[in-house]
Amino acid sequence: MKNEAAGLGKLSRIVPLKIELGDALLFLYALVFVRQYLWVIDNDLLAWTLSLVLISIVSYFYLSTREVPLERFGLSFWVVVGLPLLGVYLLRAAQPDHSFDVLTYHLLHSERSLHGPLYAPGDFFPSATPFDPVADTITGASRLIFGFRLGTVINLFALLWTAQIVDKILRPFVARPWLRAACVLVALISEQLFFEISTYMVDLLALPLMLEATLLTLQFDEAKNRGANFIRIALLLGAALAFKLTNLAVAFPLLAICTYKITVGPQRLKLKRLSTSVPIAAAAFLAPLLPFVIFIFRLTGNPVFPVANGYFKSPYWPTRGGWDDRWGPQTLREIITWPVLIWFKPERSSELAVYSGRLSLACIVALGCLVLVWRNERARLLVITLLSTSIMWSAIALGYSRYGLYEEILAGIVVVAVVAVVARAQSWARPSWRVALASIICIALLAQAGLAFRYTLRKEWGSRSNVINNPKVHARDSRLVLRDRDLLSFLTPEDRARFDGVQMWVETCPKSTGFEVLLNPRAPIIAARQPEYFVTRVAWREYIRRIEQPPERKMFSLCLNEDLATAKEVIAQRGLELAEVVPVTVPFFSPADQIAMMLIEIRVPREPAARQQFETAWMKAAFTPSVYREDIVAINPPTALRAGEKAEIRFKVRNLGDEAWPAVGTKDFRYQVNMGNRWMIGGTKLEDNRAVLSGDLAPGAETQITLTVNAPRTAGDYTLEVDMVHEGVTWFSEKGGRPLRLNLRVMP
């Protein structure tokens, strides 16, 4: 009992001295990460309880060993920074968020991950972007606590935490609290930040993690235990990367700077300490990533699915593909110059097509004043971090504005730091070139901030009005604050019964999954609209299996009225039948916000021929690329043929793939594997003939095939290409196979 009392006494001394505003959010973040490790536990209450106990223990040790002293944020911070951020948040907070990404997959991610793994039993890839749902889990928890409208307040908390870290970074440059608070506010006035503050988009949540890592990097040489500091930085950056893979653009430069400091810098660690710290830091970096990486790898065979699938080759996603080339830089030169170029090409920054130029201004100032601030170590490090992370953002995140929020904030910090260093020891009342330069930079920053705030009033991702131009709507919707936790509570009993009867959702259109998962979260969701999941036989077979097990389930789809034609087309493409279409209106967390939708009943075909076509639809799809591997050798190759001559050539062919090649397809001779030849001359390919396999060819097996070729009727020097072909799907050479090519002369 005495030991327990001593422990509690120690805790009571630690907590008031060590806890800051950000620690509460950090606790929530860590809780969600631990919950992912406990996805194996099927009981929600037990899993969350264990997570809470474990993270409480971890938090105790984190807080008790943290070296960074407690920072006080007085009246100046809350008046100058806190109140304006609250005001920006309240501009649209009363209206429910209708953002495209939110309705298409963020709500699905949060609902599923609050109760277990990202995908529930029976789901078939309902999200086209199955990335780590940790951020969506956090917003989901906030939604459960505060309701749908105020669930986005987690973004405000994250931005306040971010502002406090910015304040800490600027303290060596701006000593006066009120002036520093004004600088913090200006640093945060970016339309890219404010576009998301009251939405369920998740990009803001990782910002304090990356900025805290930046602060620790700036203070690296001052840390009493540099090895422990390195581990903390690695943990924060690993967590940020789990929030969004594109945060690698920040993690890589910061880790590179820290690695330099502990291995080469003047205060490098001793070898013994280094050999301990680096492995622990690597483990800390990977710890937040591992649960989901293992989960998605076991599900798809790709640990970062669907990214980099050309390398990992998951059978559930095409190996080809890439970023939407509407956005960002398109050449190496543009990648390097994009942080400045984006100012002049806002239409390529994002779908919102506006950019006030914060990063562009900061990069110009940083490059132009680098010599002037070089001797100030902290300012120099800030400039290097800004330039390196900005170019990495261009290359890794391809310059998309939503993925560059860290750079936006750091840009404001760098401009303030440069002004402070350039004008240091100068009297602003006495003219000098340094004061003039600092004044010009300040005016440019304030002008950019004003333009950014103007954009904030006009646009945001949910296309909602704001309280200034539509006060009546916001007054009406504000009455439902804290009373909007459950979408079903806004439905009539008849509609609740209708949605309760859904046993499976079939996703046929965008902006529908959010409604489906809120109206009936128990029903599994089958992706039908996403074409990438219907490229390979493996994916098609899995889709058919999910539809048929268990059989005769009541299947429905929801779509917006304007998407009905698209939904019908998708249903037909996936071999299903439309049974009944019923118009419904869904009050989206408000009796006044009625969303007109169509509830579509879907069924598996009942007529035998149509049912057979559905069950064999997988044959239309391609094998995985690893199946299209061949070795063809000619046994009796000719060296010359006469124009129009027929010749029988014998070949040995070996299956180098990892699946059998079928010799028999459908009745119209499609989807089987044959040997074919094409004549090539001057960039032109002329298809000629086919030869069939005598039977299915197993992986590693070899057989002989006789192919009758027909020489072209025009004389010349030709290349005879002999390749295997998956009829109606692809030639092997189009999937990475290596055909046999013979040089032949066709004589008159």
Side-chain angles (χ1 to χ4, degrees), residues 362-654:
C363 287
I364 293 170
V365 169
L367 289 170
C369 300
L370 185 58
V371 174
L372 298 177
V373 302
W374 188 258
R375 291 189 177 182
N376 186 300
E377 183 179 359
R378 183 161 294 199
R380 180 176 72 242
L381 194 54
L382 280 170
V383 167
I384 291 171
T385 303
L386 174 69
L387 296 176
S388 59
T389 57
S390 296
I391 292 179
M392 291 292 289
W393 164 69
S394 300
I396 293 176
L398 299 185
Y400 190 66
S401 62
R402 264 200 307 122
Y403 304 154
L405 301 185
Y406 168 88
E407 285 75 20
E408 288 283 298
I409 292 178
L410 189 61
I413 294 171
V414 165
V415 172
V416 171
V418 167
V419 168
V421 173
V422 168
R424 180 162 291 173
Q426 302 289 311
S427 171
W428 288 81
R430 182 179 301 173
S432 71
W433 69 269
R434 284 180 172 269
V435 170
L437 177 61
S439 300
I440 292 171
I441 296 172
C442 285
I443 292 171
L445 179 61
L446 291 174
Q448 177 275 322
L451 181 59
F453 189 71
R454 182 185 175 195
Y455 286 152
T456 298
L457 296 176
R458 291 165 47 192
K459 289 179 177 280
E460 60 100 47
W461 287 101
S463 300
R464 297 170 293 177
S465 63
N466 63 62
V467 69
I468 297 173
N469 57 33
N470 208 340
K472 290 184 179 179
V473 170
H474 285 263
R476 179 199 69 201
D477 283 356
S478 64
R479 298 190 187 102
L480 295 168
V481 166
L482 299 177
R483 298 163 55 195
D484 56 352
R485 289 180 176 82
D486 186 3
L487 182 60
L488 292 173
S489 65
F490 292 89
L491 301 181
T492 64
E494 180 186 3
D495 283 339
R496 283 202 297 270
R498 177 182 287 124
F499 291 122
D500 192 55
V502 174
Q503 295 176 310
M504 176 183 288
W505 290 113
V506 179
E507 184 203 12
T508 57
C509 289
K511 297 180 70 173
S512 62
T513 318
F515 290 101
E516 291 166 352
V517 77
L518 292 177
L519 292 170
N520 188 334
R522 302 181 308 278
I525 301 176
I526 305 295
R529 73 175 181 92
Q530 199 68 31
E532 286 85 355
Y533 291 112
F534 295 89
V535 171
T536 67
R537 290 186 166 203
V538 171
W540 258 103
R541 281 173 170 169
E542 184 64 17
Y543 157 75
I544 293 170
R545 187 181 74 83
R546 298 280 180 167
I547 289 287
E548 292 185 325
Q549 292 184 356
E552 303 302 326
R553 281 194 286 190
K554 292 183 179 180
M555 298 187 296
F556 292 85
S557 181
L558 267 177
C559 71
L560 299 175
N561 284 0
E562 59 267 27
D563 292 329
L564 180 59
T566 301
K568 290 180 177 180
E569 184 180 346
V570 168
I571 291 167
Q573 288 174 346
R574 303 306 170 222
L576 301 172
E577 291 182 350
L578 187 147
E580 185 181 9
V581 179
V582 178
V584 295
T585 55
V586 178
F588 195 61
F589 294 99
S590 170
D593 193 2
Q594 299 284 334
I595 309 296
M597 306 190 79
M598 293 292 182
L599 181 64
I600 308 169
E601 185 175 2
I602 302 170
R603 64 187 177 208
V604 177
R606 296 175 181 175
E607 195 273 324
R611 180 71 181 228
Q612 172 74 11
Q613 189 174 8
F614 169 75
E615 291 177 345
T616 59
W618 59 271
M619 297 179 68
K620 303 175 185 178
F623 292 109
T624 56
S626 59
V627 176
Y628 297 107
R629 299 295 179 263
E630 60 195 329
D631 180 38
I632 303 173
V633 177
I635 298 174
N636 59 332
T639 56
L641 294 172
R642 293 195 176 277
E645 179 183 355
K646 292 181 180 292
E648 290 188 349
I649 309 175
R650 289 184 294 119
F651 298 93
K652 287 193 300 184
V653 58
R654 181 183 296 275

Side-chain angles (χ1 to χ4, degrees), residues 162-273:
T162 297
Q164 291 188 341
I165 300 170
V166 173
D167 184 280
K168 295 177 186 178
I169 294 174
L170 289 179
R171 288 190 179 200
F173 301 102
V174 185
R176 297 178 182 177
W178 288 91
L179 178 59
R180 185 171 64 250
C183 292
V184 171
L185 178 63
V186 172
L188 293 178
I189 299 179
S190 164
E191 74 278 6
Q192 306 303 327
L193 300 174
F194 294 163
F195 284 162
E196 295 192 41
I197 192 170
S198 60
T199 73
Y200 280 96
M201 310 286 268
V202 298
D203 307 280
L204 293 175
L205 298 181
L207 286 178
L209 300 175
M210 294 184 286
L211 281 164
E212 183 71 16
T214 304
L215 175 63
L216 294 177
T217 301
L218 293 171
Q219 299 173 340
F220 200 92
D221 294 334
E222 304 164 16
K224 296 178 182 177
N225 189 332
R226 294 189 299 281
N229 194 45
F230 183 48
I231 293 168
R232 291 180 191 277
I233 292 169
L235 179 62
L236 289 167
L237 293 176
L241 196 58
F243 275 78
K244 212 169 195 67
L245 289 173
T246 51
N247 290 335
L248 182 63
V250 177
F252 184 81
L254 289 179
L255 287 174
I257 291 170
C258 294
T259 302
Y260 170 81
K261 285 180 173 292
I262 64 173
T263 57
V264 181
Q267 298 190 43
R268 59 184 177 272
L269 296 179
K270 293 182 179 179
L271 183 59
K272 183 177 180 181
R273 181 62 175 154

Side-chain angles (χ1 to χ4, degrees), residues 645-646 669-670 672 674-681 683-691 707-713 718-734:
E645 179 183 355
K646 292 181 180 292
F669 304 105
R670 294 167 67 84
Q672 64 202 44
N674 294 330
M675 177 179 282
N677 72 291
R678 295 181 284 192
W679 295 93
M680 302 166 59
I681 186 171
T684 302
K685 285 187 178 184
L686 306 171
E687 274 197 40
D688 180 16
N689 206 1
R690 296 286 198 273
L707 175 66
T708 300
V709 302
N710 302 284
R713 295 187 179 278
Y718 288 83
T719 298
L720 175 64
E721 181 183 79
V722 182
D723 196 6
M724 305 306 292
V725 56
H726 189 189
E727 298 291 358
V729 181
T730 184
W731 290 81
F732 277 36
S733 56
E734 295 171 355

